[in-house]
Amino acid sequence: MRIDSHQHFWEYKPKDYGWIEDSMKRIRRHFSPGDLKPLLDEFHLDGCVAVQAVDSYRETDYLLDLADQNPWILGVIGWADLTSEGLAEKVDEYANFTKLKGFREVLQAKDPRYMLQEQFIRGLQTLHSKGFTYDILVYPQHLKAVLELVKKCPNQAFVIDHLAKPFIQKGEWKDWQKHLTPIAERELIHCKISGMVTEADWKNWHKDQLYPYLEIALELFGPQRLMFGSDWPVCLLAAEYEQVLGVVEEFTDTLSKEEKRWIMGDTAEKFYKLS
């Protein structure tokens, strides 16, 4: 299967999407399955994983409703309050939703120490006991804490979103690679090739600026722990869907057919148990 492992849907309301700033006017509108499906069809993708963009249970329910209506939405990454005493009961309420594969929250907006508090670790252990994955959304400055986190949860399946958002516009990669390397050494940690164009100069990026980060990610994780994600519609701030996909397609064309298949779908299918 060819899978887009990371994209979003939303019914835009300024109060809910305060992170969409004035510079992001292009994505200040509704984005529905009807907007994405023609793109998946055009570029021969079999389905996608819809990821939360707002920290609320209402967001989780909204995405699950869309997945129920659209068979090609193969999985949902929802939100849950991992520090809540009632987390186990709340997660149990979702037990019959087979398309709910994991959870995420916007850790990039929080102090790195947030993910290391006892309640958060306990919440991750609850998710693990229920068989859920966890998407890690962070910046490079969070990676030291991420390493501590994954050491405290050695059996949890994690995937790092957007390569941990390296500072591509500034061309910085050494510290990012340094702190990502020990994380990648842990075999349950995966990584999404996604969100790169919006970490570059939105108006003047070039694929050659992205390749060093792709090469490092490939070296660290290998194709069986990397997965393509468009980050649509956020990617539209800097590139069309075709351009984002094209960078990864061209990069993976240099690999074997089997390695390319892993990155373009097999890794996501296995990690999220999408079959």
Side-chain angles (χ1 to χ4, degrees):
M1 296 179 72
R2 281 167 55 84
I3 298 167
D4 183 340
S5 74
H6 196 105
Q7 53 76 217
H8 309 284
F9 299 114
W10 59 66
E11 294 180 357
Y12 178 69
K13 298 177 183 177
K15 66 181 181 65
D16 292 334
Y17 295 88
W19 60 269
I20 302 181
E21 303 169 344
D22 290 343
S23 61
M24 304 178 179
K25 290 181 180 178
R26 186 175 181 189
I27 61 173
R28 279 184 166 176
R29 67 171 180 86
H30 300 341
F31 286 94
S32 71
D35 296 310
L36 180 62
K37 186 60 162 63
L39 296 170
L40 298 183
D41 289 343
E42 181 179 358
F43 301 113
H44 310 292
L45 289 153
D46 299 293
C48 64
V49 177
V51 180
Q52 63 86 225
V54 174
D55 288 357
S56 73
Y57 286 114
R58 183 176 61 182
E59 172 88 343
T60 305
D61 296 340
Y62 164 69
L63 294 178
L64 288 171
D65 285 343
L66 293 182
D68 186 52
Q69 298 164 28
N70 299 275
W72 49 271
I73 301 176
L74 304 174
V76 166
I77 306 304
W79 176 87
D81 181 0
L82 267 64
T83 64
S84 169
E85 293 294 335
L87 176 66
E89 291 76 13
K90 188 65 180 178
V91 172
D92 281 340
E93 292 178 16
Y94 290 116
N96 294 324
F97 292 89
T98 58
K99 285 191 175 182
L100 183 59
K101 303 301 180 180
F103 292 90
R104 184 186 88 153
E105 67 180 285
V106 186
L107 292 177
Q108 69 180 33
K110 295 179 168 64
D111 186 289
R113 291 169 294 182
Y114 172 84
M115 71 183 81
L116 298 177
Q117 60 183 315
E118 183 179 345
Q119 301 98 310
F120 190 88
I121 301 297
R122 188 165 58 242
L124 276 173
Q125 292 168 344
T126 297
L127 294 188
H128 174 66
S129 71
K130 307 293 183 179
F132 289 110
T133 64
Y134 195 78
D135 274 52
I136 299 177
L137 176 63
V138 293
Y139 289 118
Q141 58 265 35
H142 292 81
L143 287 176
K144 288 182 179 179
V146 171
L147 179 59
E148 290 187 53
L149 176 69
V150 299
K151 285 181 176 179
K152 290 177 182 291
C153 304
N155 299 314
Q156 174 63 45
F158 290 105
V159 59
I160 298 173
D161 291 346
H162 313 325
L163 286 80
K165 296 195 166 187
F167 302 127
I168 297 173
Q169 185 172 354
K170 296 180 180 179
E172 295 178 359
W173 58 268
K174 290 185 179 180
D175 281 347
W176 165 75
Q177 180 183 26
K178 173 184 175 182
H179 296 301
L180 192 59
T181 296
I183 296 170
E185 290 172 353
R186 310 182 77 84
E187 63 181 21
L188 290 182
I189 314 302
H190 293 60
C191 186
K192 290 183 180 179
I193 297 176
S194 59
M196 298 183 69
V197 293
T198 46
E199 297 309 314
D201 185 326
W202 294 357
K203 295 183 179 181
N204 297 296
W205 68 272
H206 188 274
K207 66 180 181 181
D208 291 344
Q209 297 169 305
L210 309 183
Y211 270 36
Y213 300 91
L214 289 171
E215 289 164 355
I216 290 170
L218 180 62
E219 179 183 352
L220 293 181
F221 291 93
Q224 295 188 31
R225 290 192 290 141
L226 288 178
M227 59 185 86
F228 162 73
S230 67
D231 199 26
W232 179 94
V234 181
C235 68
L236 298 177
L237 296 170
E240 299 301 322
Y241 193 99
E242 179 179 9
Q243 293 174 285
V244 173
L245 175 62
V247 169
V248 183
E249 290 274 30
E250 187 172 324
F251 178 77
T252 54
D253 279 343
T254 65
L255 308 178
S256 71
K257 290 183 178 180
E258 181 182 4
E259 290 171 329
K260 182 181 178 74
R261 282 198 301 271
W262 278 108
I263 293 172
M264 298 310 299
D266 287 1
T267 299
E269 183 178 8
K270 182 179 179 180
F271 180 81
Y272 287 127
K273 300 177 182 177
L274 300 177
S275 298

